[in-house]
Amino acid sequence: MTPSKMDHKDLQRRLKEDELSLFLEESREKLEYLWTTYGRKIGLAAAFVAIAVAAMYFWRVRSAADYESAQLLYGNATAWIEQNQYDLALQELDKLLKEHPRSPVAALGYVLRGDLRARMGDYTNAMNDYIAALPKLPKGEAIQSRITIALIQTYRSLGRTDDALRELESLEKTVKSPSMKNQIAYLKGGVYEDKNDPAKALECYKSVPMESEWYSLALERVRWLEAEAVGAINS
């Protein structure tokens, strides 16, 4: 069968097999040369080095294969989600996290599974996925903040308002982005509403500046809470 007619995966497998055969053949020839030229002692030392190099080679090949497999499972999950086949998507993500827990793709798998579970109303397991994802993700403000806010929203859905407020206050101390600070102020207002504390909620909403993209949402909540307060007085 010509390469053009081969299945793509079969071609990749054969190329890797050829690469491995070439690597082993070259290693054997080099060891034989060292043994005959420099003697047993240096030959043995070279053999140990060759074993270490071979181990690194196998690790690299295995790591690449694991990464490709993890990517495929993640891609399958997103495809199922687009078709609203959530149970099938969960099966792919469960397999990804079980078989490739140390893959760089695993962090994204936890996030996607958390998002999916939150969408399905399974807030406890969504919370656990976000908690598992956070230490595995890159240490950039944007992605860490996004997952922390997702975690905060699951706390709110579970009625864990104290945990939600604690996370928001902790996040507020670390972020530098004005947009993120305004989002946090808006979310804190929502948590105080959850806690039935309209005075603190209004304080948070009113702290959002007019130029912020969160201003219109905050203003809507201010008007609602103030109208409720007026209605309570009149009644």
Side-chain angles (χ1 to χ4, degrees):
M1 181 183 293
T2 62
S4 61
K5 295 181 180 180
M6 287 184 188
D7 177 81
H8 179 65
K9 288 185 178 179
D10 187 49
L11 178 58
Q12 282 188 320
R13 178 181 60 78
R14 294 192 186 188
L15 287 171
K16 286 178 181 177
E17 288 175 353
D18 291 343
E19 182 186 353
L20 177 58
S21 297
L22 180 61
F23 171 82
L24 293 175
E25 180 63 23
E26 288 177 348
S27 298
R28 184 184 63 78
E29 290 176 355
K30 288 176 183 177
L31 281 174
E32 287 179 354
Y33 171 77
L34 287 169
W35 194 286
T36 56
T37 305
Y38 298 105
R40 183 171 179 274
K41 188 173 182 180
I42 292 179
L44 284 173
F48 285 124
V49 171
I51 290 169
V53 171
M56 290 178 64
Y57 175 87
F58 284 117
W59 177 84
R60 188 174 72 248
V61 170
R62 175 64 185 275
S63 296
D66 285 349
Y67 184 73
E68 290 175 5
S69 178
Q71 279 188 315
L72 179 61
L73 291 167
Y74 185 90
N76 289 344
T78 58
W80 286 124
I81 291 171
E82 289 173 0
Q83 298 176 48
N84 297 320
Q85 299 288 335
Y86 297 156
D87 289 338
L88 293 174
L90 278 176
Q91 289 177 23
E92 297 287 340
L93 291 169
D94 289 344
K95 186 175 181 181
L96 161 61
L97 296 170
K98 181 180 179 181
E99 296 182 359
H100 309 285
R102 294 180 178 82
S103 168
V105 185
L108 300 176
Y110 277 116
V111 172
L112 185 59
R113 193 171 70 175
D115 290 345
L116 182 55
R117 284 171 161 173
R119 188 184 300 185
M120 297 171 71
D122 185 2
Y123 299 113
T124 298
N125 282 320
M127 173 191 69
N128 291 334
D129 280 336
Y130 293 138
I131 290 172
L134 279 167
K136 298 177 182 292
L137 290 167
K139 301 301 180 184
E141 179 178 306
I143 190 166
Q144 288 281 334
S145 298
R146 178 265 194 247
I147 306 308
T148 301
I149 286 172
L151 173 62
I152 288 162
Q153 296 294 61
T154 61
Y155 282 147
R156 291 182 66 187
S157 298
L158 291 166
R160 296 174 56 171
T161 52
D162 289 339
D163 290 328
L165 189 59
R166 184 194 69 249
E167 288 289 343
L168 280 168
E169 290 174 345
S170 176
L171 184 61
E172 189 175 27
K173 294 175 183 176
T174 61
V175 299
K176 295 181 175 64
S177 163
S179 175
M180 184 61 65
K181 286 183 179 293
N182 293 329
Q183 183 180 4
I184 289 169
Y186 176 78
L187 291 173
K188 283 176 72 176
V191 174
Y192 279 120
E193 281 196 75
D194 296 342
K195 293 170 72 69
N196 197 27
D197 191 341
K200 285 191 174 181
L202 278 168
E203 182 182 337
C204 292
Y205 290 137
K206 289 181 177 180
S207 72
V208 178
M210 189 178 296
E211 63 271 15
S212 169
E213 66 267 36
W214 296 94
Y215 177 75
S216 59
L217 291 171
L219 181 61
E220 183 180 332
R221 296 311 303 158
V222 167
R223 289 171 175 169
W224 176 271
L225 290 170
E226 289 181 340
E228 274 196 334
V230 171
I233 293 171
N234 293 335
S235 62

